[in-house]
Amino acid sequence: EAGVVQSPRYKIIEKKQPVAFWCNPISGHNTLYWYLQNLGQGPELLIRYENEEAVDDSQLPKDRFSAERLKGVDSTLKIQPAELGDSAVYLCASSTGAFSGETQYFGPGTRLLVL
Amino acid sequence: DAKTTQPPSMDCAEGRAANLPCNHSTISGNEYVYWYRQIHSQGPQYIIHGLKNNETNEMASLIITEDRKSSTLILPHATLRDTAVYYCIVSGNTGKLIFGQGTTLQVKP
């Protein structure tokens, strides 16, 4: 069974440029998560989707970050414009549901460097 | 969601058992204990989780104390490839994972 797929794996951009990350969850997983991981820190949740609905986006900086999951499968996370402090790893995870006892499976992440 | 406390780092000799402790004294009745690990430049990898009973799978064993206030992850025969950051997480009703700093396990030859 294929795991969570993310692309690109690495991205280097100049500040003020836009950038987008793509995630394809495990087949049949209705719940999708985007996490941000700064160097030396644990991942932090940005947004959670149940199918196509964003049900927890309280940690998403909405002035520059946006996300979508139009058909309830793939998802895209966008930053516009990027700032130097956005350099980090962006992780996608998925699970069959979002309730106690469920397991989230993570993709390899996209490593972003903003110059 | 309950917080967890882990030692920042541990060493283990290759081939020996690695026992990673975790304190979660504020855990509530319906919260699970999860363990993930993260090898450099990879995404977090699920290891094991449990509610009350001890659990074992092909990767590890999870021992949860009777009062559920602490747990231990056991890697029975550590290899160099087990060198990673290990996260102990308590997850509540929504399945939300709040990662701490984790324990950096260094397996030495």
Side-chain angles (χ1 to χ4, degrees):
Chain A
E1 179 183 296
V4 176
V5 179
Q6 291 187 247
S7 70
R9 291 294 314 279
Y10 304 92
K11 188 74 176 180
I12 301 174
I13 60 171
E14 293 187 347
K15 63 181 181 181
K16 301 184 181 179
Q17 294 299 307
V19 64
F21 315 123
W22 176 80
C23 173
N24 178 244
I26 293 172
S27 178
H29 282 194
N30 298 323
T31 306
L32 184 145
Y33 310 77
W34 283 102
Y35 287 83
L36 163 70
Q37 186 171 25
N38 288 305
L39 188 64
Q41 305 293 316
E44 302 171 35
L45 180 68
L46 288 173
I47 190 169
R48 171 168 66 95
Y49 280 93
E50 294 292 342
N51 298 302
E52 63 274 8
E53 182 181 358
V55 295
D56 182 358
D57 62 355
S58 57
Q59 300 303 312
L60 189 72
K62 299 181 182 63
D63 57 335
R64 296 184 300 106
F65 286 66
S66 64
E68 61 184 14
R69 193 184 185 200
L70 293 177
K71 296 183 178 179
V73 181
D74 295 358
S75 177
T76 302
L77 178 68
K78 299 178 181 178
I79 308 174
Q80 183 170 12
E83 296 179 352
L84 296 177
D86 296 331
S87 295
V89 177
Y90 292 83
L91 294 159
C92 180
S94 70
S95 65
T96 56
F99 47 86
S100 191
E102 267 298 322
T103 299
Q104 294 182 33
Y105 296 93
F106 286 79
T110 295
R111 190 173 298 270
L112 174 67
L113 179 60
V114 182
L115 301 176
Chain B
D1 295 309
K3 289 188 66 175
T4 62
T5 303
Q6 299 178 254
S9 63
M10 292 182 63
D11 289 342
C12 177
E14 187 178 21
R16 304 299 292 267
N19 297 283
L20 290 85
C22 180
N23 286 323
H24 31 80
S25 58
T26 61
I27 193 170
S28 61
N30 63 345
E31 291 180 316
Y32 282 75
V33 179
Y34 286 80
W35 283 85
Y36 283 78
R37 74 180 182 183
Q38 191 168 25
I39 297 169
H40 184 61
S41 297
Q42 298 183 21
Q45 178 189 23
Y46 166 77
I47 301 173
I48 198 167
H49 74 285
L51 182 62
K52 295 180 181 179
N53 300 321
N54 299 336
E55 302 287 345
T56 295
N57 62 21
E58 65 278 4
M59 289 183 68
S61 294
L62 174 60
I63 308 299
I64 303 175
T65 58
E66 191 169 346
D67 63 7
R68 302 214 317 128
K69 293 185 177 182
S70 65
S71 61
T72 302
L73 178 75
I74 301 172
L75 307 178
H77 305 287
T79 70
L80 298 179
R81 287 177 292 182
D82 292 321
T83 292
V85 178
Y86 287 77
Y87 295 101
C88 169
I89 303 162
V90 171
S91 179
N93 288 331
T94 64
K96 186 173 182 178
L97 300 180
I98 299 176
F99 288 79
Q101 299 289 338
T103 295
T104 299
L105 175 67
Q106 182 73 48
V107 181
K108 298 184 174 182

